[in-house]
Amino acid sequence: MTEHEKALKPEDLTRLFVERSNAGDAAGVAALYEENAVMAYPPGSRTVGREAIRKLWESVLANAPHFELETPLPTLISDDIALTSTPPKDGSGARAQVVRRQPDGTWLRLLDQPEFVPPTS
């Protein structure tokens, strides 16, 4: 198994996501999530668990998309939980993640809302 750089602060997770996605490293992307993490993706559905997240990113990254680093909004931290967020460069809404400090002091994503979809009436 490849040894990946760990997130030493919550904000590192977004940078590591972009780097690993652009490298086509689905396992590396999945390693940024807790074992039972929940991701609200594809839009309108949920992907639950690190293994399911890895499989999802394998299919997404097979199309070789390019991701750009987006300037994060200030991180909110309370003890071992943090809220990270970024406004997409295209102005399409927001991205938000709840992350948790691990026993070794690094951070992993617990909840990930990469795209907010307006509610339908």
Side-chain angles (χ1 to χ4, degrees):
M1 181 173 183
T2 303
E3 183 65 30
H4 291 99
E5 177 184 351
K6 294 187 175 188
L8 300 178
K9 57 186 187 219
E11 299 83 359
D12 290 342
L13 289 162
T14 297
R15 174 184 56 81
L16 293 170
F17 169 83
V18 169
E19 290 173 1
R20 294 174 190 182
S21 294
N22 288 339
D25 183 3
V29 170
L32 300 172
Y33 292 83
E34 287 193 359
E35 192 62 42
N36 295 310
V38 177
M39 182 178 195
Y41 193 84
S45 63
R46 298 178 341 144
T47 302
V48 180
R50 184 182 290 151
E51 182 60 18
I53 291 169
R54 182 192 61 76
K55 288 178 182 176
L56 168 75
W57 283 103
E58 278 182 353
S59 68
V60 170
L61 297 178
N63 297 313
H66 178 76
F67 293 86
E68 291 191 33
L69 195 57
E70 297 166 333
T71 303
L73 296 171
T75 299
L76 299 174
I77 300 175
S78 177
D79 297 320
D80 291 335
I81 301 291
L83 175 66
T84 62
S85 57
T86 56
K89 286 186 175 185
D90 65 8
S92 63
R95 308 181 200 289
Q97 300 81 33
V98 174
V99 303
R100 182 169 25 206
R101 188 184 338 256
Q102 304 302 298
D104 67 357
T106 63
W107 294 83
L108 291 175
R109 289 177 170 174
L110 175 62
L111 301 170
D112 187 1
Q113 179 82 46
E115 295 182 14
F116 282 89
V117 177
T120 56
S121 28

